[in-house]
Amino acid sequence: MKIGDVVARESYNKDIIFKIVSFGVDETGDKIAILKGVAFRIIADAKLDDLVSVTAPDLREILIDKEVETRLTRSVKKARDRERKMTRALPKLQSNSNTYGIPGKVLQIDGDKEYLNICLDVYAELGIPAAGVAISESNQYKEVRGLLEKYNPDILVVTGHDSMTLKRGNIENINNYRNSLNFIKAVKEARKWQPNLDSLVIFAGACQSNYEKIIGAGANYASSPGRIMIHALDPVFIVEKIACSRIDVVVPIEEVIDQTVTGIKGVGGSETRGKFRWAMPKTMI
């Protein structure tokens, strides 16, 4: 076994496909592999004799399967429908071909470069302006304020990989999570830069993250209320709903959650205003 190998765990009936990212030793001195999920934003470890090699899958095909492709198609259609409805609600805009829409601008800070690149592709497909930076979860809080100043986004996504380290541990103990504390620290730093929840919308977290403490730190949306694995594109689906809803609309929480793959056990949050604006005229040259 070596770093980069794609593996599954025999003891879990090979239920999740992982990639080996590093090696270490456990409390008994046995060598273990540190694993990151391929289709889910989870980090785990396993003894080497529990791992079996599997065929390396195409990451995009795994993340954007038929169900997710259907969701993306539906999201694009909903965005167009929303634009038509918003135009009908504003007669002056409806009759003026010089108007155009500006969705909210996104900055995604991600602990996984492969996931980040796919997310950026999906943002582009959805017509949402987005910038992304791959930074390890432990360093995100150190760099978030500088990146906010550089990109000045409407929406910030802070994500990567996470998990609970104790199968039956105290879910309130932040030390029982691999990266939740890092996400909390990043959210707090972002809120020092912009404390208003409607001026800067924040999603933070990954698989099994400490939802309550991330929300308490100042995130609008976070994972994971049910301490379950979330889909790698769940943050994108949340962002799409906020970025493409008008600034004078408080987006219904249930509509935001309904757009995600994992639903209410995977993500939750609070009432948040949209970030879509009409503008005019188009370039006159």
Side-chain angles (χ1 to χ4, degrees):
M1 296 290 178
K2 63 183 184 300
I3 292 174
D5 281 355
V6 179
V7 297
R9 297 174 295 181
E10 287 273 19
S11 60
Y12 285 81
N13 296 318
K14 306 176 187 177
D15 60 340
I16 301 173
I17 298 175
F18 292 94
K19 182 177 288 188
I20 298 176
V21 294
S22 65
F23 294 96
V25 293
D26 63 15
E27 62 278 3
T28 65
D30 291 330
K31 189 173 183 179
I32 57 172
I34 309 302
L35 312 169
K36 285 188 177 181
V38 171
F40 297 95
R41 289 187 174 277
I42 189 166
I43 189 167
D45 58 58
K47 293 184 177 181
L48 300 189
D49 59 9
D50 189 32
L51 299 177
V52 292
S53 296
V54 297
T55 302
D58 182 279
L59 181 56
R60 186 176 176 87
E61 286 183 7
I62 285 182
L63 295 183
I64 307 179
D65 57 16
K66 289 183 179 180
E67 179 188 353
V68 174
E69 187 66 51
T70 299
R71 287 177 180 273
L72 286 173
T73 301
R74 189 161 60 238
S75 291
V76 172
K77 182 178 183 298
K78 283 182 177 179
R80 291 172 181 165
D81 288 344
R82 279 198 300 272
E83 187 167 336
R84 283 194 291 270
K85 288 178 182 177
M86 287 186 284
T87 303
R88 286 197 297 270
L90 299 167
K92 289 183 179 180
L93 291 179
Q94 184 179 11
S95 61
N96 194 325
S97 60
N98 257 338
T99 59
Y100 60 98
I102 305 175
K105 183 170 61 175
V106 180
L107 168 63
Q108 180 158 326
I109 302 174
D110 203 314
D112 190 299
K113 187 175 182 178
E114 288 182 287
Y115 280 1
L116 174 62
N117 288 337
I118 290 174
C119 289
L120 291 175
D121 288 344
V122 176
Y123 288 131
E125 185 178 341
L126 294 172
I128 297 171
V133 183
I135 302 173
S136 66
E137 293 85 350
S138 60
N139 289 321
Q140 289 173 350
Y141 78 96
K142 301 174 185 177
E143 301 191 42
V144 63
R145 291 189 70 176
L147 291 169
L148 287 169
E149 290 172 0
K150 177 179 179 179
Y151 292 102
N152 193 27
D154 301 298
I155 304 168
L156 171 67
V157 176
V158 180
T159 188
H161 294 270
D162 201 0
S163 68
M164 289 189 67
T165 57
L166 299 178
K167 293 180 182 178
R168 298 183 182 277
N170 178 1
I171 67 169
E172 295 182 3
N173 186 343
I174 199 63
N175 295 318
N176 288 340
Y177 298 82
R178 292 184 184 271
N179 278 315
S180 288
L181 181 58
N182 290 320
F183 296 139
I184 290 166
K185 289 161 71 174
V187 171
K188 287 182 176 180
E189 286 298 315
R191 284 293 170 222
K192 290 177 184 177
W193 184 78
Q194 176 50 264
N196 188 294
L197 270 68
D198 287 320
S199 296
L200 177 66
V201 177
I202 300 177
F203 170 89
C207 287
Q208 299 182 339
S209 292
N210 191 314
Y211 163 77
E212 296 81 8
K213 283 187 168 59
I214 295 175
I215 290 290
N220 300 68
Y221 280 86
S223 59
S224 158
R227 301 306 190 268
I228 66 171
M229 292 182 292
I230 69 167
H231 192 276
L233 293 178
D234 276 343
V236 175
F237 288 119
I238 288 176
V239 163
E240 187 275 333
K241 185 68 174 179
I242 301 297
C244 297
S245 295
R246 278 182 55 89
I247 58 170
D248 58 349
V249 172
V250 175
V251 186
I253 304 169
E254 63 275 12
E255 289 186 14
V256 177
I257 295 172
D258 284 347
Q259 294 219 152
T260 64
V261 177
T262 48
I264 199 165
K265 287 189 175 181
V267 297
S270 60
E271 289 187 321
T272 300
R273 290 189 178 276
K275 286 294 186 179
F276 181 94
R277 297 174 184 268
W278 284 110
M280 65 179 295
K282 297 177 182 176
T283 301
M284 305 297 288
I285 300 173

